[in-house]
Amino acid sequence: MTIKMTTIDTMPDSVRIPVYRREDHGVGIVHIGLGAFHKAHQAVYTDDALSKTGGDWRIVGVSLRSDAPSDELRPQNGLYTLIERDAAGSRARVIGAIAAAHCLKTDRKAVEAALLSAETRIVSITVTEKGYGLDRATGGVDPAHPAIAHDLKLPSDAQGLAGLLVWALGQRRALGRAPFTVLCCDNLPENGVVLRGLLVDFARRAAPDLADHIVHGVAFPSTMVDRITPAATQDTRDLAEQMTGYRDEAAIETEGFHQWVIEDHFPTGRPNWEAGGAIFASDVRPYENMKLRMLNGAHSMLAYVGFAAGHHFVRDVMADPDLSRLVTRHLSAAAATLAPLPGVDFAAYADQLTERFCNPHLAHATYQIAMDGSEKMPQRIFSAIPDARASGGDTRAFAFATAAWLRHLSQSTHDCAPYELRDPRADELRTMTQDRDAPEIVRAVRAASFVPRDVSQDAAFWDAVQSILHEMLTRPMSEVISVEVA
Ligand code: CS2
C-alpha cells in the first residue's frame, strides 16, 4: 500500500532525516520561487543550519503564479525528499526547513502576513532570470513586462516580484518594522545590486517616498548559487518511493555537488549557513563571473548545439566526443576571460564541471537549459567577449555559442523535430529569425536591447557568428560540429 509522506516516523535508516524538532523552530525567511532549485539549494543549507545550531529560521515558501508547489508540499507539512545522485550513488534525505507553502494567486493573505511578520528577517528569491522584469539597458524595470505593467498601476494585488517587495517594504515601514534583507539567488551577475536597482526604479515610478528607504535602509547581499537540479519527473517520485517507502509528490533529485558564496551583509541576522558549507566573502563578483561564464556559459552552448544534434540530456552531449571537445574549448575560453581568483584554479574547476556534466544519473534536459536564452546569453556569453578582446583572447567559442542560440531561435527543423521556442521574448525573436538567412538574423539580433552596446559594435565577432550560423542553417549540426573540432 502506498504511504503518503505526511510524517517521517518510519523512515528506513538509510534515509537522513531532520535531527531537530521542527515545531521548536519559528519562521525567519520567506522564500519567493518555490521551485526545484530552492528545494535543492537554499532550503538544504537552512536544514543544515537548523540541524547544527538551531534558530528560528524555517522558511515560508511562496510561488507567485503556479499553485502546484504549494499543493504538493502542504499535505506533506512542507516535508520532501531530496535525492542526491552522482558517481558515489544515490542518497535520500528528508528536508524539514520548509514550514509552510503558499501561492500568491490563491493564498494572498497568507503571503502578505508572512512578508509583514516581525519574525521575517530575510526574503530570498529564485524566480529565474525572466521573473524580475529587468530592462538590461537601463538596469531598471521593463515597463513592458506583464507583471511590472500591471503593478506600476499600484493595484492592491501586486503580481510581480518588484511590486510585491516594494509594497511589503512600504507596509513594514508604516508598521514600524525593520525591513527584511533581500537575498537574490538567481544566476545574475551582482544579483543583489541588480535587484536593488530594480526595486529602487520601481519605487521611483510607483511610490517615490519609498525609494530612499530602499537605498539606505534595505540590505541586498549578492550571492553565487550552484547546484545542477533538473526538473523533477515521475521517475524522481518513483525513485523517492523506492528509497524511502513514502509517496512524495514534492520529491526532487539533484547532484551531490553544491556551492553557495554569499556577501555577508545581513543587518537583521541570518542562519548559520556555514553549517551546510556556504562561503561568506566580501566580494562575490569573481565567483559569479566564474560560474556564469564557465558553468552556465558552457551549459547554454552545449544545450543549443546538443539539442540541435539530437541529444536530449546533458550526459548524452558529454558522451559525444566532438561535442565534449567543444565543451572543453568553451570552458577554457571562458576561464581565459576571468581575473585571477585567489585559491581557485580555473583548470581544476573546468575539470570538475566536466565531471558534473557527465553525471550519468542526472537526466538534465538540453531543452530545459535552452529556454529563456535572451535572459541568459548576456551574462553567460556576451559579458565575456569584451574581456576576451581586452586580453587578446579568442572569441571563436563565444561566436559558436551565439550562432547555436540563433539557430535555436530560428526553429529551423531541417535536421530535427519541430519544437516550441520558450523565451519571454519569443514573438520578437521569431520575427527576427524565422525564415531569414544568416545576415538578416545577425543584423536584427545584434541591434536588440539585450545585446550590450560594446558587443553589438564588435564587427569581427558578428562576422564570425554569421558565417557559423550560415553553416548551421544549411548543414546538419553534426557536420558543423565535426568541422568545428577538426
Ligand atoms: C542551467 C542552470 O538551466 C540552466 O540554464 O544552466 O540552471 C544550472 O544548472 C545551474 O545554474 C547550476 O547551478
Side-chain angles (χ1 to χ4, degrees), residues 389-408:
R389 289 278 184 236
S391 60
D394 191 5
T395 57
R396 176 82 190 178
F398 309 121
F400 193 79
T402 305
W405 172 53
L406 299 181
R407 187 214 183 276
H408 186 80

Side-chain angles (χ1 to χ4, degrees), residues 285-313:
R285 281 174 302 181
Y287 294 94
E288 290 173 331
N289 279 342
M290 173 182 81
K291 194 253 170 173
L292 288 166
R293 292 186 190 175
M294 292 184 70
L295 189 159
N296 297 114
H299 242 181
S300 287
M301 184 282 291
L302 74 83
Y304 294 122
V305 181
F307 181 76
H311 297 305
H312 289 300
F313 300 117

Side-chain angles (χ1 to χ4, degrees), residues 187 225-228 291 295-296 299 364 369 376 380:
N187 283 318
V225 292
D226 189 8
R227 191 166 215 185
I228 294 176
K291 194 253 170 173
L295 189 159
N296 297 114
H299 242 181
H364 197 190
I369 301 169
K376 294 175 175 174
R380 297 179 178 204

Side-chain angles (χ1 to χ4, degrees), residues 254-283:
T254 187
E255 61 179 339
F257 180 93
H258 53 87
Q259 195 172 38
W260 198 6
V261 186
I262 315 171
E263 192 185 333
D264 203 356
H265 181 40
F266 292 83
T268 45
R270 62 167 173 83
N272 173 22
W273 282 317
E274 291 92 335
I279 298 165
F280 284 86
S282 55
D283 185 4

